């Protein structure tokens, strides 16, 4: 059994200029990023890099259409290294760029076992949620299927994951909220996974502690209290990425994908919509084992009894981002069975990591309770 998988070298710099100098950014590099990120932090450096600004090819989370267009643009360069500077969308696309030498996205999905690394990959996250800088999965909205689907390959790990807290200075509070809640979900799901190990739980439980303590400070002192502790959230996100990179995510992510894919709900927010609803259903099936350890951890952090942990967790998270029922996103009653079918047929990779098995009847029950 694999105890922990960590294929990327992790580096830390206080500033972007320190990173650019140490990594010798130049003409062999293709920087995939957003213009609003690149110009303030790198624009004045006079770097001889190629650049692709993701928003030129579409907004929101990555779709197959967006990715194919960016692959075509990247093919016109002769770059040897991909440098991704951005949030989940940029990072997911960059992983595809690193393994495609012109192949379409659909062809990569068709034969993932044949994927090979074509370019070196460096990732700098600009949010504190995905942890994707240390994982080998890319989540793309496959518009022709109507859902998000993960593409996984051992060749999609970054060679270097670089943490630069300066890049988070301008992160809007709403993006901070959804991304950091996503990191919390990563940490909880990976710790409850049957694939969890003593090593992954070391990272997962520490991430949970750091994120909840940070939220408590923000709840007590206001939104600006996050600014001095953004480094903590960035590191916690990385810890959670290390944890789920080995142990995997599970039903929260699986049930969130049809919501996000159909109604274009941001990834972290769609996970948040499903989060405690899934945990409560786990508890209806089994109360001992790792979930008992998780609830004791949460109870200690939240200062409540074990029986109240999920309500208290929702209460704290609600002070960071108000939680909405599914119908407020536009979900219709007839969608719930469609969503359930999609989860059971297309999200087997994730559902295999559930704390306890969930059948279609249980998944539909979760959707109905959260509707």
């Amino acid at each position: 059994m694999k105890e922990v998988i960590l294929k990327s070298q992790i580096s830390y710099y206080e500033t972007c200029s320190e990173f650019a100098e140490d990594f010798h950014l130049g003409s062999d590099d293709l920087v995939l990023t957003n213009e609003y990120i690149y110009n303030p932090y790198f624009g004045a450096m006079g770097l001889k890099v190629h650049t692709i600004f993701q928003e030129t090819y579409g907004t929101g989370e990555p779709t197959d259409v967006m990715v194919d267009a960016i692959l075509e643009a990247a093919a016109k360069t002769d770059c040897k290294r991909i440098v991704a500077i951005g949030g989940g969308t940029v990072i997911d696309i960059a992983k595809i760029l690193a393994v495609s030498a012109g192949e379409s996205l659909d062809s990569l999905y068709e034969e993932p076992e044949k994927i090979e690394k074509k370019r070196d990959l460096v990732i700098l996250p600009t949010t504190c949620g995905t942890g994707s800088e240390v994982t080998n999965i890319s989540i793309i909205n496959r518009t022709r299927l109507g859902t998000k689907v993960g593409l996984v390959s051992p060749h999609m790990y970054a060679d270097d994951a670089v943490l630069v807290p300066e890049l988070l200075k301008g992160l809007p509070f709403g993006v901070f909220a959804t991304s950091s809640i996503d990191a919390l979900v990563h940490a909880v799901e990976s710790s409850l996974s049957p694939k969890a190990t003593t090593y992954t739980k070391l990272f997962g439980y520490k991430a949970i502690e750091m994120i909840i303590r940070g939220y408590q400070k923000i709840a007590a002192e206001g939104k600006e209290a996050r600014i001095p502790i953004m480094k903590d959230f960035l590191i916690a996100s990385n810890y959670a990425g290390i944890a789920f990179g080995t142990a995997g995510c599970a039903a929260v992510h699986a049930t969130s994908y049809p919501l996000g894919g159909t109604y274009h709900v941001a990834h972290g927010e769609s996970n948040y919509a499903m989060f405690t609803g899934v945990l409560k259903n786990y508890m209806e099936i089994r109360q001992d084992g790792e979930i008992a350890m998780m609830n004791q951890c949460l109870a200690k952090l939240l200062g409540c009894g074990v029986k109240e942990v999920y309500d208290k967790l929702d209460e704290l998270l609600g002070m960071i981002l108000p939680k909405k029922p599914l119908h407020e996103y536009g979900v219709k009653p007839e969608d719930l069975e469609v969503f359930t079918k999609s989860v059971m047929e297309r999200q087997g990779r994730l559902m295999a990591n559930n704390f306890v098995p969930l059948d279609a009847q249980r998944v539909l029950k979760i959707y109905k309770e959260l509707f």
Side-chain angles (χ1 to χ4, degrees):
M1 181 175 179
K2 293 183 175 68
E3 290 292 317
V4 66
I5 301 169
L6 189 52
K7 298 289 184 72
S8 307
Q9 175 173 290
I10 301 173
S11 304
Y12 178 91
Y13 299 93
E14 288 289 344
T15 67
C16 297
S17 59
E18 292 171 353
F19 156 72
E21 181 178 357
D22 207 26
F23 272 71
H24 307 290
L25 297 188
S27 58
D28 286 337
D29 294 313
L30 170 59
V31 177
L32 177 67
T33 186
N34 302 106
E35 190 169 9
Y36 66 84
I37 292 171
Y38 187 82
N39 286 343
Y41 295 110
F42 295 91
M45 294 184 193
L47 300 174
K48 303 299 183 183
V49 298
H50 304 275
T51 57
I52 291 180
F53 297 132
Q54 171 258 312
E55 65 269 30
T56 304
Y57 300 87
T59 58
E61 297 186 339
T63 67
D64 41 14
V65 176
M66 184 192 303
V67 172
D68 280 337
I70 291 175
L71 285 173
E72 184 177 345
K76 297 175 182 176
T77 74
D78 57 353
C79 66
K80 297 180 176 61
R81 184 168 64 174
I82 304 295
V83 180
I85 307 171
T89 295
V90 164
I91 293 173
D92 282 349
I93 296 171
K95 290 177 181 179
I96 305 295
L97 289 178
V99 298
S100 172
E103 301 94 333
S104 70
L105 181 66
D106 284 345
S107 68
L108 295 174
Y109 271 104
E110 285 170 8
E111 296 183 299
E113 70 283 354
K114 293 186 178 180
I115 288 175
E116 295 180 356
K117 195 145 200 183
K118 304 299 197 311
R119 304 177 179 95
D120 289 343
L121 177 61
V122 181
I123 297 178
L124 286 73
T126 60
T127 68
C128 49
T130 68
S132 188
E133 68 273 7
V134 290
T135 70
N136 65 331
I137 183 169
S138 177
I139 307 295
I140 306 297
N141 186 357
R142 301 191 69 185
T143 56
R144 289 176 288 277
L145 299 179
T147 191
K148 298 177 183 179
V149 183
L151 181 63
V152 183
S153 169
H155 300 284
M156 289 169 60
Y157 284 105
D159 298 280
D160 291 272
V162 183
L163 306 182
V164 184
E166 182 185 29
L167 286 167
L168 275 67
K169 283 184 177 179
L171 191 67
F173 186 82
V175 179
F176 160 77
T178 57
S179 63
S180 56
I181 289 174
D182 188 27
L184 179 62
V185 174
H186 290 157
V188 171
E189 287 213 283
S190 62
S191 297
L192 293 176
S193 167
K195 297 176 184 173
T197 70
T198 53
Y199 288 87
T200 64
K201 285 187 281 188
L202 180 69
F203 286 103
Y205 277 98
K206 185 61 179 178
I208 292 167
E209 177 190 342
M210 293 173 73
I211 293 168
I212 287 182
R213 290 300 186 214
Y215 284 164
Q216 289 170 331
K217 183 175 178 65
I218 295 166
E221 301 176 19
K223 294 179 179 180
E224 296 307 305
R226 78 189 187 279
I227 303 301
I229 56 173
M230 288 301 285
K231 175 181 176 180
D232 291 345
F233 278 100
L234 183 61
I235 292 172
S237 170
N238 184 256
Y239 285 172
I242 293 170
F244 89 81
T246 301
C249 290
V252 176
H253 276 71
T255 55
S256 80
Y257 285 158
L259 171 63
T262 304
Y263 290 99
H264 310 292
V265 181
H267 175 66
E269 187 168 358
S270 59
N271 278 337
Y272 177 35
M274 306 304 303
F275 186 27
T276 53
V278 170
L279 297 180
K280 289 176 180 178
N281 274 268
Y282 283 163
M283 282 293 291
E284 290 179 10
I285 300 170
R286 181 182 173 189
Q287 294 80 44
D288 63 342
E290 194 62 41
I291 202 163
M293 299 295 293
M294 176 65 66
N295 291 347
Q296 289 173 15
C297 169
L298 292 173
K300 183 177 179 181
L301 290 169
L302 296 168
C304 66
V306 170
K307 292 182 179 179
E308 295 86 47
V309 288
Y310 300 142
D311 290 336
K312 286 294 184 182
L313 182 58
D314 269 337
E315 183 181 314
L316 176 62
L317 296 182
M319 299 178 74
I320 305 300
L321 181 71
K323 187 175 182 178
K324 298 194 294 189
L326 298 184
H327 71 263
E328 289 193 17
Y329 293 109
V331 177
K332 303 173 183 64
E334 57 267 28
D335 288 329
L336 304 184
E337 290 194 5
V338 177
F339 284 6
T340 299
K341 187 173 186 290
S342 176
V343 169
M344 302 310 295
E345 291 182 356
R346 295 175 178 158
Q347 303 300 341
R349 177 185 61 84
L350 292 169
M351 296 292 280
N353 300 327
N354 292 343
F355 172 67
V356 289
L358 302 179
D359 59 16
Q361 184 178 1
R362 177 65 66 166
V363 171
L364 182 59
K365 175 180 177 289
I366 294 169
Y367 279 131
K368 287 180 175 178
E369 289 171 351
L370 297 173
F371 180 75

